[in-house]
Amino acid sequence: MANGPKVVLTRAWPEEVESYLAERYDLTRNEADEPMSEAALRAALAEADALCPTVTDRIHAGLYEGVEVRTRIIGSYGVGFEHVDLEAAGARGIAVSNTPEVLTDCTADIAMVLLLAAARRIGEGERHVRGRAWTGWRPTHMMGTRVTGKTLGLVGFGRIGRAVARRAHFGFGMKILFHDPFPVPEEVAAEVDATACETLDELLGAADFVSLHCPSTPETRHLMNTERIGRMQPHAFLVNTSRGDVVDQLALADALREGRLAGAGLDVYEGEPNVPEELIALENAVLLPHFGSGSRETRIAMGMRVAENLAAFFAGTEMPDRLV
Ligand code: DGY
């Protein structure tokens, strides 16, 4: 075990990254890979110089109460950071970092997987063959929806939204619409011949596929509610690889069951790991276990990105991904 700052990982990380960190720090791994309790997180805040949580840990203001905090940096493993209260950390002089960029391509790949899987009924087809229900080829068997040349509406046109746009435009000849409250440089939109929609409603009404790429904030909570889902075309599909709470899942399940929406592909859920029965019951929902970033290469790269932030912090130099 190396000396040096004490670093606590709240979950098991890829072996390559754990070994790398263990050579440089006094590392505490989570070999059982069970989520840490609040009491364990508090103990870590009291004992560790660096706490490295994931999306499954809530590092909220109350956690610090009554704790003599030793932690000076929270190196979060993941790009989304709504699970860390930045204000509360900042108020205690704790630096916080995330891992942008390294998971952009893998997450965009999974958005395309979900889009294709929902449109072409991949989950259903798999279940059909494995359930030994297949009786052979026939012209009307399990017809899905063509993807090539259709219109894709991207809600949020940041790094991941743009990566999805490139795949959809260059790979599948899709027409790209986007809606983003933040300005998007003209050349970025021009690269994929994308059209900006002034309003979300405009995008929802025009797209054959809608893919969500916005963060979880109080403003985006249940952005896709009954009303907005109702603005989508009945033949359209909804894809979510961002955060579960951006969608009102029960409103989505109702729309899918009642044929007001053709299908959905979801990688994320509100209240993970619980997935509502209403969605599980639907053949036209493709459901994945929040693994957009889940390639071995990317998960290692995410860990190494945390390591870069820790190294910079402890060397007193500028952290590449400092949030606060
Ligand atoms: C993230 O990084 O925010 C993902 O949801 C987990 O990879």
Side-chain angles (χ1 to χ4, degrees), residues 3-8 25-26 41 43-53 59 64 67-76 84 86 88-97 309-317 319 322-324:
N3 290 320
K6 186 167 171 56
V7 174
V8 170
Y25 301 103
D26 172 3
L41 288 171
L45 284 172
E47 290 159 15
D49 299 295
L51 175 65
C52 300
I59 313 299
Y64 303 98
V67 178
E68 201 164 317
V69 178
R70 169 168 166 171
T71 296
R72 292 177 288 142
I73 170 170
I74 295 174
S76 190
V84 181
L86 296 186
R92 283 162 183 80
I94 302 173
V96 181
S97 61
N309 281 283
L310 297 187
F313 179 83
F314 289 119
T317 59
M319 293 160 62
R322 188 170 189 146
L323 297 166
V324 69

Side-chain angles (χ1 to χ4, degrees), residues 214-294:
C214 46
S216 165
T217 64
E219 293 73 39
T220 60
R221 182 168 188 276
H222 288 190
L223 183 73
M224 294 307 292
N225 55 16
T226 302
E227 192 195 324
R228 295 220 178 77
I229 291 170
R231 302 220 184 273
M232 292 176 66
Q233 309 188 70
H235 70 257
F237 294 81
L238 180 67
V239 170
N240 190 12
T241 52
S242 62
R243 281 295 182 260
D245 62 0
V246 177
V247 176
D248 177 341
Q249 324 186 111
L250 297 183
L252 173 63
D254 285 347
L256 291 171
R257 195 177 46 251
E258 292 163 12
R260 288 183 279 115
L261 200 62
L266 307 175
D267 186 43
V268 287
Y269 309 88
E270 189 168 15
E272 291 176 14
N274 298 319
V275 179
E277 273 312 316
E278 288 83 345
L279 284 174
I280 300 261
L282 293 169
E283 283 288 7
N284 55 350
V286 179
L287 308 174
L288 300 182
H290 195 157
F291 62 12
S293 64

